[in-house]
Amino acid sequence: NAGVMQNPRHLVRRRGQEARLRCSPMKGHSHVYWYRQLPEEGLKFMVYLQKENIIDESGMPKERFSAEFPKEGPSILRIQQVVRGDSAAYFCASSPPQGVNEKLFFGSGTQLSVL
Amino acid sequence: DQQVKQNSPSLSVQEGRISILNCDYTNSMFDYFLWYKKYPAEGPTFLISISSIKDKNEDGRFTVFLNKSAKHLSLHIVPSQPGDSAVYFCAASISGNTGKLIFGQGTTLQVKP
């Protein structure tokens, strides 16, 4: 049973380019979450999605960031016109659909570097 | 506004001794608390959790204590092993806010052989 899969592991972009980060949840999990970790800080919640629905995007920056979790395929976190401040580790997590289980299973993350 | 704080950036202990990692929170609405362990270049891994209706939860070498009146929790690891060396994150949530965990800044634990 594969864990949460994220790709790419490392992504280098120049300022103004677009970054696309992918996440496939664990088998049987229908809830996906994106977190961001800036250097020397803890993880910060960005967005919570279920299939074809954004449930909570209260942690997403108002501009340039978007997320989706289509009916088929992985969840995508998209950052348009990247700036140096977007450099961070982006972690995806998933959880099963039932219960009040707050335990999340995290992927290994995508390290985004903006030059 | 840091709602979950880990005031010790690092901790060093000798193998076999007890490691105590501390965490403070400010939001009294938090009712579920978790500890995650993170190795370099990997994602956080769930370690242990505790509901606010309890004051202690134990799993093998790991015990989490919750003091609601002080808004404080701690993770005890005994005996500590070199493989425990990692960054430990405390996290808190409010029931119903599924998946929205508020993390502390992390404490780097080094267990010396």
Side-chain angles (χ1 to χ4, degrees):
Chain A
N1 186 13
V4 178
M5 304 299 293
Q6 289 189 249
N7 68 83
R9 289 296 304 272
H10 302 275
L11 182 61
V12 179
R13 285 288 177 266
R14 295 190 181 279
R15 281 179 295 171
Q17 291 184 320
E18 179 180 287
R20 280 181 178 249
L21 289 64
R22 295 174 183 77
C23 169
S24 295
M26 284 181 70
K27 186 176 180 181
H29 288 191
S30 58
H31 296 193
V32 165
Y33 315 84
W34 286 93
Y35 283 77
R36 175 167 66 174
Q37 184 184 20
L38 295 170
E40 309 302 324
E41 294 187 14
L43 284 78
K44 296 280 197 279
F45 169 83
M46 299 182 75
V47 63
Y48 161 38
L49 309 106
Q50 295 178 16
K51 286 282 187 182
E52 299 184 283
N53 280 305
I54 298 174
I55 306 302
D56 183 346
E57 56 181 348
S58 58
M60 288 279 271
K62 300 301 180 190
E63 299 178 345
R64 303 187 297 108
F65 285 71
S66 63
E68 62 176 7
F69 189 17
K71 187 176 180 181
E72 301 291 338
S75 175
I76 306 287
L77 179 67
R78 181 184 178 201
I79 311 172
Q80 295 178 290
Q81 299 172 356
V82 296
V83 300
R84 290 219 171 108
D86 296 333
S87 296
Y90 291 82
F91 292 97
C92 172
S94 71
S95 70
Q98 63 276 359
V100 195
N101 183 5
E102 308 290 354
K103 183 171 70 175
L104 303 184
F105 296 83
F106 282 86
S108 297
T110 294
Q111 182 64 50
L112 173 65
S113 298
V114 179
L115 304 179
Chain B
D1 179 22
Q2 189 72 26
Q3 296 186 70
V4 177
K5 296 181 182 180
Q6 294 175 255
N7 291 318
S8 297
S10 62
L11 174 68
S12 181
V13 301
Q14 207 65 36
E15 180 179 6
R17 305 294 290 268
I18 185 171
S19 296
I20 300 176
L21 295 94
N22 294 302
C23 178
D24 297 295
Y25 62 96
T26 57
N27 190 340
S28 57
M29 297 289 290
F30 290 144
D31 56 4
Y32 196 76
F33 304 89
L34 309 89
W35 284 94
Y36 279 82
K37 179 169 74 172
K38 184 181 181 303
Y39 293 117
E42 294 185 13
T45 303
F46 171 78
L47 199 55
I48 192 169
S49 62
I50 188 167
S51 165
S52 60
I53 63 174
K54 295 184 176 181
D55 54 19
K56 176 183 174 181
N57 189 26
E58 189 172 352
D59 184 2
R61 296 185 298 114
F62 303 92
T63 303
V64 56
F65 295 92
L66 175 62
N67 182 335
K68 288 188 291 294
S69 61
K71 294 190 178 68
H72 177 84
L73 65 156
S74 60
L75 174 67
H76 292 210
I77 307 173
V78 55
S80 301
Q81 300 173 353
D84 296 329
S85 298
V87 179
Y88 289 78
F89 290 100
C90 167
S93 70
I94 301 170
S95 294
N97 282 8
T98 307
K100 190 171 182 177
L101 301 179
I102 308 300
F103 282 85
Q105 310 95 307
T107 296
T108 300
L109 172 66
Q110 183 183 27
V111 180
K112 297 179 178 177

